[in-house]
Amino acid sequence: MNKTKIAWTEHTWNPVTGCTKYSAGCAHCYAETMAKRLQGMGLKRYANGFTLTLHPEAINEPKKVKEPSMFFVCSMADLFHKDVPDEFVDKVLQVINDCPQHTFQLLTKRTARMHDYFNYGGREVPANCWLGTTVEDQSVVKRTEWLNDIKSAPVRFLSCEPLLSDLFFYNHLWNIDWVICGGESGNQARPMQKEWVLNIKRQCDEQGVPFFFKQWGTYGEDGVKRDKKANGCTIDGKVCQAWPKAWKGGAE
């Protein structure tokens, strides 16, 4: 468990590491690159590289943090990967229930399984658990249908990162509480167009959904390739990083 520089959370908690590629957004997976780097450094948790691995010894890590905090669950994996047993997901959810002082973000590309886990498994979404899905291009916008249909989720959010195409949500934002957007980083990064970002922001503004722009990534607002820090996170000189009402300091 670590504090993180990810702008939309505070800690990462990884009771599972490793994954398999699922859609276009996975092509240059940052987690895979990092896992292999950590494996090379000899870190025990990454002895298997990016092969999916359960870490029962990490289950109770959030209980060690007393100050109310935001946790991104499985930043180095997908909790709803088919090879993670329901029984292990149950243990993760039990810790979330046991830590009401914290807020937990579950982000998956596998929304069909997350939907069935909660809706047909007799399980409640904890009141401090936000559910999200990645929507990187138009071909996967329908992931939001599974997310929207999950019963009693306190916050539903979308991560449009890495954003790989223009997105038109049509009626898919009706039950969404938050949208994160960002460009891809790294030597193989694919460019993100400013028009795509503005189109998502416009749709969010029209439907009253808080919009959080994380970063431009390797290609800047002007389309020039440079260091992601130099490209920054402003749109037309403004920081656009709104939060859902459920979070401290969130949108009004």
Side-chain angles (χ1 to χ4, degrees):
M1 180 183 64
N2 296 297
K3 286 192 173 182
T4 180
K5 294 181 180 179
I6 298 173
W8 46 265
T9 194
E10 294 177 325
H11 295 270
T12 56
W13 171 38
N14 284 290
V16 182
T17 57
C19 199
T20 53
K21 297 188 188 305
Y22 194 69
S23 61
C26 303
H28 309 141
C29 178
Y30 80 91
E32 181 178 15
T33 300
M34 183 173 291
K36 291 179 177 178
R37 184 183 305 150
L38 295 172
Q39 180 186 34
M41 293 168 60
L43 269 70
K44 183 178 179 181
R45 185 172 294 188
Y46 294 94
N48 295 329
F50 204 55
T51 300
L52 192 142
T53 306
L54 307 182
H55 298 282
E57 75 283 358
I59 281 286
N60 290 311
E61 286 181 344
K63 295 181 180 180
K64 301 174 184 177
V65 179
K66 301 305 179 184
E67 182 179 353
S69 301
M70 179 80 80
F71 285 84
F72 177 15
V73 184
C74 292
S75 65
M76 298 292 289
D78 189 328
L79 186 63
F80 292 97
H81 189 285
K82 63 181 178 60
D83 293 335
V84 180
D86 279 355
E87 293 77 14
F88 195 81
V89 180
D90 289 343
K91 292 179 181 179
V92 172
L93 268 293
Q94 184 58 57
V95 172
I96 292 174
N97 274 307
D98 290 345
C99 296
Q101 75 274 27
H102 299 319
T103 301
F104 296 83
Q105 299 158 312
L106 296 185
L107 178 65
T108 184
K109 290 183 175 71
R110 297 159 171 87
T111 46
R113 184 185 173 197
M114 182 166 69
H115 171 275
D116 292 351
Y117 174 83
F118 286 112
N119 281 21
Y120 303 133
R123 303 173 178 91
E124 294 289 330
V125 182
N128 58 334
C129 184
W130 298 5
L131 303 183
T133 189
T134 301
V135 181
E136 70 265 35
D137 62 33
Q138 191 66 34
S139 70
V140 297
V141 166
K142 286 196 173 182
R143 286 177 185 163
T144 59
E145 294 181 3
W146 295 103
L147 179 62
N148 281 331
D149 194 51
I150 295 174
K151 299 175 181 178
S152 71
V155 170
R156 297 173 179 84
F157 69 97
L158 306 182
S159 174
C160 304
E161 185 187 12
L163 182 61
L164 303 178
S165 80
D166 206 358
L167 291 179
F168 294 90
F169 293 108
Y170 303 109
N171 64 337
H172 295 296
L173 288 180
W174 69 273
N175 208 20
I176 299 300
D177 302 287
W178 193 33
V179 173
I180 302 164
C181 179
E184 192 167 36
S185 300
N187 293 330
Q188 297 178 297
R190 292 157 284 185
M192 176 179 66
Q193 303 298 320
K194 180 178 179 180
E195 291 76 13
W196 304 347
V197 176
L198 293 176
N199 185 37
I200 293 174
K201 185 177 185 302
R202 176 188 58 77
Q203 292 175 79
C204 288
D205 289 346
E206 288 176 353
Q207 300 197 42
V209 179
F211 174 80
F212 189 106
F213 185 66
K214 178 187 170 188
Q215 63 176 23
W216 286 103
T218 296
Y219 288 86
E221 185 174 16
D222 55 3
V224 175
K225 187 176 183 179
R226 58 172 75 87
D227 183 84
K228 71 175 184 179
K229 290 184 179 179
N231 285 326
C233 64
T234 61
I235 305 172
D236 292 329
K238 297 180 181 179
V239 175
C240 301
Q241 296 186 339
W243 291 82
K245 294 179 181 179
W247 183 239
K248 55 188 179 183
E252 295 297 331

